[in-house]
């Protein structure tokens, strides 16, 4: 037997097992990978910021006794009926079609119990959702599936979707498995086809046209409804400024970790900016226009807990929005379904083929049997609990910084753990008064 | 993202009213572009070339500027001051020296031409038009622009029209997607831009092509191949007026023609008060098609 | 009959008056003077009202119309009758781009030409254009009928779903997945009815029918070029 020492078999970093598997999959099928969810790569995030807390130079508020307000009003610029929320956390747009009817109902129940709003998605407004959502934001999307003036007037706010964080500049594709009879009927599509969604609105292009579109929407709804404009995090300074110039009441800014029901993996992982990097430029744009806190900024994309909420507010957001986290609260990717995830060739926490409609948790599906697995009342209770926990966490941090309202958190209450986070947020690196690009040390 | 207006007169009897008509058209386009406004107007020819410059401090920069420049160049110079702008007339042979001398003083070059004068500033179109007295200006043709800035700053230099060669100007509605690459290509050819604005690259591209021997029509045809993104361009030359839209043609554009004029606007609203508009031929320019009128 | 002069009345007042009159379902008639290219005129009407606009309008005229009849004695700007639900909209002049975009029902008649993207993403509306239509018309059209007495521009019916397209004149080019289809008796009947309702002087037999070849309905690698 040869005793010569052998080289350890070495996997390539560049051509990793994961990469090679994807090459083989592409070679076999001829189509790019489509999946749900947001970016899975490691990105600079709110974890890279810490609060300073009060001690000698500032005084904290007493928990549970001294009030720390969490209310937020969205749409104070032009709308006759702004939206008043008890908490600065809203439920992001997710379509009926992508989600089941009971899942939409659960979101409505949970959000209403917690005193916040839900949002429709690319598929129209359902009774499940309108009926159980005290405050409902109606998305106005390029596809206009199910769009009609009655639902427009039944909505509490209108969100014109220009883009989303998972795919700024992209349209969508919902594969045939989920275009059931009801979904097809609502979308005026043939049953079972792959739905191709446009990336631009059919009847306007650019902020100068959008201003006229907003005029039309306001004229149809008697200038009552707040008009939100949702953009994907790409060029947040300019996009925010142009949304304001086009006449928005609220700007919704969705960073790269924001989810999607179905998009090319290459798009999700390679387009857009991390949520953390988007906030500061957007706030700067609002401040430059004298519109900070007058046009509200809602930030979404990877918000998970009260700390994320508090940090987003400290950077200048007025509220945050959650999508993926809300689905997890309902039971998405729950370990109790591990056996079924294994059968689908995946595992708890990694399941992202939401577009295939075989969700063991019964949330991202139109399969009548799977749908039964989600009890909308129990789901609503879980979502309310989760929203309440996030709010309590956010208040805890705000009180520690001496704030009687969470909106009084400011960038100066933060320090950054990494050079990247410091550069992106212009929050000083911990232990310094400096961030990359700033003179002096 | 913006509003464009343009008016090319075929009947000289309307010439005294050119500025008046353009001003109304410009103000109507305020919603499309509240950040800044500008106008290029082709008026009387001068004994030499007109150099239009802008100053942040006209009260200190302009008094005596004509005599100082005359002394520096050793030629006679006349000057007309209009608010923040001054139009200096210098002999054609001294054009380059005059531009260099004026820019060396920190003045911003708006444009150069035998007939063209350019006035542009930040602010609402009605205020911009009023401070320059555009209503009182006569001429053969003119182009105006209201700007909603996309990716470059709201400054005087970022306002349209952009002039990158004598008596040539261009305004744009849309957003170019390969302007940075094109800016580098043009710079290599010796055609430098002064701002980060995408439209200035479009204007410089047209000037570059014309300098290389193309007609305006050929240069506009070339823009369809070489410039990417969304655009409606309206251009002016000493005697001509041209319009082109990109092949996708999403940005709005309306043309109207009568025996007396050709008018362009981003929206019909801006044409609604023109004389005889009820009987005009009104149409939308086709995508990827060059329209051009010459006197 | 009520007359409103937009020379002296703000858009909001005009639309409020029209919306209230429509809601009353009283079959009233309104005449709007001096529209001067105004945007979002007569939008969101929900009831049996007749509106006659004396002159050209801007963007989104009669947007999201339900039940009402809106006639423009002039040309209409971009997105006329966008997302119309029901009722009738008649443009006596030309229509700009996106005419009838995403419309879900009702009848849109354009007596002049329509420019690009006529019937884009339509979802059940019937559109009859007496003149020509521009490029990318009926892009991603899902349901409904587009009838063109004149010619069609480039890329007609690109990425078409189940909308039916009928063109009497020439078609400059067909978009991806759009093909000429056989005219069957039911199509002749459909056309006869629409032409009559649109006041169009043409014979159904003169038209050619275009529809989806349905090759893009489910992804197939051999059609990847068409995406």
């Amino acid at each position: 037997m040869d005793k010569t020492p052998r080289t350890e078999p070495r996997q390539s970093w560049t051509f990793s097992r994961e990469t090679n598997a994807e090459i083989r999959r592409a070679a076999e099928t001829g189509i790019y990978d489509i999946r749900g969810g947001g970016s899975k790569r490691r990105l600079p995030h709110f974890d890279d910021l810490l609060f300073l807390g009060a001690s000698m130079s500032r005084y904290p508020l007493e928990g549970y006794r001294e009030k720390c307000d969490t209310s937020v009003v969205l749409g104070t610029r032009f709308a006759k009926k702004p939206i008043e929320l008890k908490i600065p956390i809203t439920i992001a747009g997710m379509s009926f079609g992508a989600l089941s009817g009971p899942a939409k109902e659960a979101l409505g129940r949970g959000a209403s119990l917690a005193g916040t709003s839900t949002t429709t998605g690319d598929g129209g407004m359902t009774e499940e959702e309108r009926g159980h959502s005290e405050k409902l934001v109606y998305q106005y999307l390029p596809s206009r599936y199910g769009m009609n003036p009655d639902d427009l007037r039944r909505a509490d706010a209108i969100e014109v979707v220009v883009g989303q964080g998972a795919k700024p500049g992209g349209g969508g594709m919902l594969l045939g498995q989920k275009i059931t009879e009801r979904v097809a009927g609502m979308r005026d599509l043939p049953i079972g086809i792959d739905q191709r969604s446009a990336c631009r609105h059919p009847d306007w292009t650019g902020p100068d046209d959008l201003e006229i579109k907003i005029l039309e929407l306001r004229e149809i709804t008697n200038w009552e409804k707040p008009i939100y404009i949702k953009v994907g995090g790409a060029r947040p300074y300019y996009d925010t400024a142009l949304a304001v110039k086009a006449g928005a009441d609220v700007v919704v800014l969705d960073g790269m970790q924001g989810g999607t029901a179905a998009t090319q993996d290459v798009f999700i992982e390679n387009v857009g900016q991390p949520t953390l990097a988007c906030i500061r430029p957007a706030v700067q744009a609002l401040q430059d226009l004298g519109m900070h806190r007058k046009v509200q900024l809602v930030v979404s994309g990877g918000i998970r807990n009260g700390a994320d909420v508090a940090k987003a507010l400290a950077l200048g957001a007025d509220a945050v929005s959650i999508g993926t986290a809300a689905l997890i609260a309902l039971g998405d990717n729950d370990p109790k379904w591990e056996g079924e995830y294994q059968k689908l060739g995946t595992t708890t926490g990694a399941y992202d083929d939401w577009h295939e409609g075989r969700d063991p948790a019964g949330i991202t599906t139109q399969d009548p049997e799977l749908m039964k697995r989600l009890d909308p009342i129990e789901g609503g209770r879980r979502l309310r609990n989760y929203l309440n926990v996030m709010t309590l966490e956010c208040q805890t941090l705000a009180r520690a910084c001496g704030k009687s309202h969470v909106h009084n958190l400011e960038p100066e209450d933060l320090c950054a753990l990494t050079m990247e986070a410091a550069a992106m947020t212009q929050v000083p690196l911990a232990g310094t008064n400096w961030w990359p690009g700033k003179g002096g040390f | 993202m913006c509003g464009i207006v343009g008016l090319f007169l075929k009947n000289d009897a309307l010439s005294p009213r050119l500025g008046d008509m353009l001003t109304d058209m410009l103000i109507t386009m305020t919603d499309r572009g509240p950040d800044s406004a500008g106008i290029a107007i082709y008026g009387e020819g001068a004994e030499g070339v007109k150099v239009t410059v802008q100053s942040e401090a006209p009260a200190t920069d302009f008094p005596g500027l004509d005599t100082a420049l005359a002394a520096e160049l050793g030629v006679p110079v006349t000057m007309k001051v209009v608010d923040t702008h001054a139009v200096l007339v210098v002999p054609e042979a001294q054009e380059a020296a005059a531009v260099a001398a004026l820019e060396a003083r920190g003045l911003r070059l708006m444009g150069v031409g035998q007939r063209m004068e350019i006035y542009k500033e930040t602010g609402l179109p009605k205020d911009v038009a009023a401070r320059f007295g555009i209503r009182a200006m006569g001429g053969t043709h003119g182009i105006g622009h209201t700007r909603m800035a996309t990716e470059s700053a709201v400054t005087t230099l970022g306002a349209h029209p952009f002039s990158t060669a004598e008596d040539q100007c261009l305004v744009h509605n849309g957003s170019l997607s390969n302007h940075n690459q094109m800016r580098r290509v043009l710079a290599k050819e010796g055609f430098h831009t002064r701002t980060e604005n995408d439209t200035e690259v479009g204007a410089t591209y047209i000037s570059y092509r014309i300098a290389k021997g193309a007609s305006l029509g050929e240069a506009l045809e070339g823009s369809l191949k070489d410039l990417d993104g969304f655009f409606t361009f309206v251009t002016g030359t000493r005697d001509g007026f041209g319009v082109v839209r990109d092949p996708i043609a999403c940005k709005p554009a309306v043309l109207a023609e009568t025996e007396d004029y050709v008018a362009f606007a981003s929206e019909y609203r801006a044409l609604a008060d023109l004389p005889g508009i009820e009987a005009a031929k009104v149409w939308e320019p086709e995508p990827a098609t060059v329209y051009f009128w010459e006197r | 009959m009520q007359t409103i002069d937009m020379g002296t009345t703000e858009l909001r007042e005009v639309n409020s008056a029209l919306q209230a009159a429509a809601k009353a379902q009283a079959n009233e008639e309104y005449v709007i003077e001096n529209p001067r290219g105004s945007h979002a005129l007569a939008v969101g009407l929900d009831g049996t009202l007749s509106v006659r606009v004396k002159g050209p309008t801007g963007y989104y005229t009669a947007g999201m119309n339900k039940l009402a009849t809106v006639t423009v004695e002039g040309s209409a700007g971009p997105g006329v009758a966008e997302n119309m639900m029901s009722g009738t909209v008649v443009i006596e002049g030309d229509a700009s781009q996106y005419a009838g975009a995403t419309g879900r029902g009702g009848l849109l008649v354009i007596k002049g030409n329509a420019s690009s993207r006529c019937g884009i993403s339509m979802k059940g509306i019937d559109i009859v254009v007496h003149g020509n239509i521009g490029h990318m018309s009926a892009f991603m059209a899902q349901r409904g009928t587009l009838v063109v007495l004149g010619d069609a521009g480039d890329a007609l019916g690109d990425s078409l779903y189940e909308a039916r397209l009928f063109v009497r004149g020439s078609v400059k080019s067909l978009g991806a997945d759009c093909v000429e289809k056989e005219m069957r008796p039911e199509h002749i009947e459909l056309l006869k009815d629409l032409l009559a309702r649109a006041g169009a002087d043409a014979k159904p037999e003169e038209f050619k029918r275009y529809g989806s070849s349905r090759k893009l309905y489910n992804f197939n690698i051999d059609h990847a070029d068409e995406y």
Side-chain angles (χ1 to χ4, degrees):
Chain A
M1 200 177 150
D2 185 3
K3 294 275 173 77
T4 314
R6 306 257 323 253
T7 308
E8 274 278 301
R10 184 177 173 191
Q11 295 290 340
S12 167
W13 178 266
T14 308
F15 288 92
S16 63
R17 286 172 196 271
E18 208 177 41
T19 299
N20 294 353
E22 177 51 24
I23 292 172
R24 283 188 288 272
R25 194 204 58 75
E28 181 67 26
T29 64
I31 185 172
Y32 35 52
D33 182 34
I34 293 178
R35 67 170 176 88
S39 174
K40 292 188 168 185
R41 65 158 82 205
R42 190 184 189 287
L43 293 167
H45 202 31
F46 294 109
D47 296 335
D48 301 327
L49 298 178
L50 299 175
F51 280 103
L52 299 176
S55 62
M56 291 284 275
S57 63
R58 299 210 182 179
Y59 316 127
L61 296 187
E62 199 68 70
Y64 311 108
R65 279 187 290 280
E66 285 162 349
K67 195 170 155 50
C68 178
D69 195 349
T70 59
S71 64
V72 52
V73 184
L74 300 176
T76 51
R77 186 186 185 192
F78 292 122
K80 282 190 212 164
K81 294 185 177 170
I83 290 205
E84 293 175 19
L85 304 177
K86 284 188 195 152
I87 60 172
I89 309 157
T90 68
I91 306 300
M94 290 176 275
S95 73
F96 168 75
L99 302 191
S100 69
K104 291 299 277 181
E105 179 183 334
L107 292 174
R109 286 177 180 274
S112 298
L113 288 169
T116 190
S117 61
T118 60
T119 312
T120 66
D122 198 357
M125 188 186 285
T126 61
E127 292 311 317
E128 287 96 325
E129 187 166 36
R130 177 64 280 187
H132 293 98
S133 299
E134 202 176 295
K135 298 199 169 64
L136 179 59
V137 183
Y138 189 26
Q139 283 195 332
Y140 192 73
L141 291 130
S143 68
R144 309 276 165 87
Y145 292 132
M147 175 50 54
N148 68 81
D150 303 325
D151 286 344
L152 208 59
R153 294 189 190 100
R154 289 208 294 168
D156 298 292
I158 299 161
E159 181 169 300
V160 179
V161 180
V162 178
Q164 65 187 94
K167 47 175 173 178
M173 181 183 271
L174 191 53
L175 295 190
Q177 297 96 318
K178 290 176 83 173
I179 306 290
T180 61
E181 194 175 346
R182 183 175 172 202
V183 173
M186 281 182 70
R187 301 186 182 203
D188 299 287
L189 288 170
I191 295 166
I193 67 155
D194 298 344
Q195 170 209 301
R196 296 153 272 152
S197 290
C199 66
R200 291 201 313 267
H201 278 257
D203 57 356
W204 63 268
T205 313
D208 43 13
D209 281 356
L210 174 55
E211 180 170 358
I212 307 170
K213 174 49 77 178
I214 288 175
L215 170 72
E216 184 206 7
L217 294 173
R218 290 199 196 275
E219 284 290 322
I220 290 173
T221 54
N222 194 28
W223 289 74
E224 286 176 356
K225 321 286 180 194
I227 308 275
Y228 302 7
I229 297 179
K230 178 174 180 175
V231 294
R235 294 178 176 83
Y237 182 88
Y238 296 121
D239 290 344
T240 303
L242 288 167
V244 171
K245 288 180 193 174
D249 291 306
V250 175
V251 178
V252 181
L253 179 60
D254 191 24
M256 182 172 176
Q257 295 100 314
T260 169
T263 298
Q264 301 93 328
D265 178 80
V266 70
F267 216 139
I268 298 172
E269 296 292 3
N270 295 284
V271 184
Q273 295 207 50
T275 303
L276 184 71
C278 290
I279 304 176
R280 192 74 197 214
V283 172
Q284 189 68 51
L286 292 169
Q287 288 169 341
D288 288 352
L289 292 166
M291 284 292 178
H292 190 221
R293 305 285 190 219
K294 293 178 187 159
V295 169
Q296 287 79 30
L297 177 68
V298 179
V299 168
S300 56
I303 304 282
R304 305 153 299 176
N305 51 46
D308 290 351
V309 178
K311 290 168 188 174
L313 298 185
L315 290 174
D318 293 273
V320 300
S321 207
I322 57 166
T324 306
L327 299 188
I328 294 168
L330 295 187
D332 177 74
N333 268 295
D334 196 295
K336 74 178 171 188
W337 306 111
E338 178 61 21
E340 301 207 23
Y341 290 129
Q342 297 269 346
K343 281 188 220 152
L344 294 171
T346 182
T347 186
T348 302
Y351 178 68
D352 58 15
D353 287 327
W354 295 345
H355 56 289
E356 291 181 354
R358 293 185 291 173
D359 183 1
I363 296 168
T364 60
T365 183
Q366 295 297 318
D367 180 311
E369 287 308 310
L370 291 172
M371 267 159 62
K372 286 182 193 160
R373 292 183 178 180
L374 179 76
D375 173 359
I377 297 173
E378 169 63 9
R381 189 188 65 80
R382 294 176 59 84
L383 178 62
R384 181 207 53 188
N385 286 347
Y386 171 58
L387 287 168
N388 285 352
V389 169
M390 279 206 287
T391 306
L392 287 167
E393 288 175 343
C394 179
Q395 283 173 304
T396 300
L397 297 172
R399 281 201 185 91
C401 296
K403 316 289 179 180
S404 62
H405 195 295
V406 290
H407 282 167
N408 294 335
L409 288 164
E410 49 198 11
E412 289 75 7
D413 292 314
L414 296 166
C415 67
L417 280 175
T418 65
M419 295 281 266
E420 288 85 353
M424 289 173 187
T425 59
Q426 296 183 13
V427 162
L429 190 65
T432 77
N433 63 354
W434 174 87
W435 58 78
K438 186 190 180 203
F441 187 76
Chain B
M1 293 300 147
C2 315
I4 300 176
V5 300
L7 197 52
F8 177 82
L9 301 180
K10 297 198 264 181
N11 178 353
D12 287 337
L14 284 172
S15 288
R17 289 187 53 203
L18 181 72
D20 193 34
M21 292 193 282
L22 274 172
T23 300
D24 285 332
M25 295 168 77
L26 196 69
I27 292 171
T28 309
M29 288 295 94
T30 299
D31 291 347
R32 298 192 75 86
D35 292 336
S36 64
I39 206 147
I41 199 148
Y42 293 81
E44 293 289 311
E47 298 285 320
V49 290
K50 305 186 206 180
V51 181
T52 311
V53 291
Q54 184 262 8
S55 163
E56 287 287 278
T60 50
D61 284 349
F62 291 156
L65 178 62
D66 45 353
T67 45
L69 187 65
E72 201 171 328
L73 301 177
V75 292
V77 173
T78 61
M79 179 170 72
K80 170 176 79 173
V81 174
V82 188
D83 197 72
T84 55
H85 287 41
V87 181
L88 295 118
V89 179
V90 300
E92 193 159 7
Q94 259 68 44
E95 178 192 319
V99 168
L102 292 164
E103 289 203 304
R105 289 164 177 265
L107 298 170
R108 293 164 180 156
L109 183 68
M110 300 286 99
V112 177
Q114 290 181 10
R115 297 189 50 219
M116 181 190 73
E117 295 170 19
I118 287 187
Y119 300 94
K120 57 187 189 183
E121 271 301 350
T122 56
L124 287 174
K126 72 173 167 54
D127 299 331
V128 174
R131 61 199 282 192
F132 296 124
I134 289 169
R135 274 195 195 282
M137 293 180 188
T140 52
H141 53 299
I143 292 170
H145 187 269
T146 64
R147 178 166 186 242
M148 187 187 283
T150 48
E151 289 186 12
S152 52
V154 179
T155 60
T156 307
L157 277 180
H160 304 211
F162 282 95
S163 177
T164 49
E166 198 177 305
D167 273 326
Q168 288 173 25
C169 73
L170 178 142
V171 295
H172 168 210
N173 180 18
S175 178
L176 300 180
S177 61
N178 69 338
H179 62 101
N180 293 307
Q181 181 64 27
M182 180 57 70
R183 191 191 312 277
R184 289 186 278 271
V185 170
L186 292 168
K188 269 200 160 168
E189 297 288 333
F191 287 73
H192 296 277
T193 54
R194 288 179 164 82
T195 72
E196 294 303 305
N197 190 291
D198 59 336
T199 305
E200 190 188 8
V201 175
T204 307
Y205 172 84
I206 304 283
S207 299
Y208 159 70
R209 291 294 307 271
I210 290 173
K212 294 284 174 192
S215 67
L216 176 59
E218 287 164 345
L220 290 173
E221 289 284 352
S223 72
L224 290 167
K225 183 170 70 71
D226 294 329
L227 298 178
D228 203 356
F230 291 74
F231 57 88
T232 297
F233 289 144
V234 178
T235 63
T237 64
R238 194 170 303 157
D239 307 304
F241 179 77
V243 173
V244 66
R245 295 171 90 187
D246 69 80
I248 294 171
C250 270
K251 300 311 296 178
V254 187
L255 276 162
E257 186 165 12
T258 70
E259 286 189 353
D260 294 335
Y261 60 80
V262 177
F264 176 95
S266 295
E267 298 171 20
Y268 177 83
R269 283 193 301 159
L271 306 175
D273 287 329
L274 291 177
I277 189 70
E278 302 78 15
K281 179 191 170 199
V282 178
W283 78 102
E284 292 188 0
E286 292 286 325
T289 305
V290 172
Y291 295 80
F292 188 61
W293 290 267
E294 229 166 358
R295 283 175 75 88
Chain C
M1 191 185 79
Q2 307 264 1
T3 299
I4 305 180
D5 182 356
M6 291 196 77
T8 53
T9 315
E10 292 291 320
L11 177 74
R12 182 78 283 263
E13 273 183 73
V14 177
N15 278 335
S16 290
L18 296 178
Q19 287 163 356
K23 209 171 176 185
Q25 305 278 3
N27 262 321
E28 274 190 283
E29 276 185 42
Y30 273 75
V31 170
I32 309 295
E33 291 178 340
N34 286 314
R36 298 149 53 86
S38 292
H39 301 319
L41 179 57
V43 296
L45 301 183
D46 187 1
T48 52
L49 180 77
S50 166
V51 181
R52 184 163 279 277
V53 183
K54 300 275 193 186
T57 59
Y59 282 54
Y60 308 129
T61 308
M64 299 207 185
N65 187 57
K66 272 175 88 181
L67 298 168
T69 299
V70 179
T71 305
V72 178
E73 294 180 2
S75 292
V80 61
E82 70 88 15
N83 214 87
M84 176 155 71
M85 305 300 292
S86 60
T88 306
V89 174
V90 180
I91 307 304
E92 297 196 338
D94 297 332
S96 181
Q97 53 187 344
Y98 327 126
T102 77
R104 299 167 62 88
L107 175 67
L108 169 63
V109 179
I110 295 156
K111 297 210 169 157
N113 302 313
S115 73
S116 64
R117 301 179 178 84
C118 179
I120 183 171
S121 208
M122 56 196 272
K123 297 168 170 40
I125 190 176
D126 292 321
I127 305 175
V128 179
V129 182
H130 289 219
N132 307 322
I133 58 171
H135 70 287
M136 289 299 277
S137 286
F139 174 60
M140 289 186 126
Q142 293 171 226
R143 287 203 304 121
T145 309
L146 172 63
V147 181
V148 183
L149 275 68
D151 304 330
D154 269 320
L156 175 71
D158 195 285
S159 304
L160 192 64
Y161 292 103
E162 293 295 294
R164 292 164 297 205
L165 316 179
F166 298 93
V167 182
R168 185 168 70 164
S170 66
V171 173
K172 200 166 173 196
S173 67
L174 292 173
D177 217 25
C178 183
V179 291
E180 187 180 338
K181 292 190 165 183
E182 153 200 35
M183 282 285 264
R184 294 194 299 268
E186 69 259 34
H187 302 123
I188 298 285
E189 284 307 304
L190 174 81
L191 264 178
K192 204 190 228 172
D193 170 60
L194 272 175
L195 290 166
R197 283 164 54 206
D201 183 21
K203 294 186 182 65
E205 294 77 9
E206 298 168 342
F207 290 78
K208 285 181 179 167
R209 178 168 78 102
Y210 302 89
S212 176
S213 67
R214 305 188 176 98
K215 278 192 276 182
L216 300 182
Y217 277 18
N218 292 103
F219 185 84
N220 178 330
I221 184 60
D222 298 327
H223 303 140
D225 294 354
E226 314 239 314
Y227 279 87

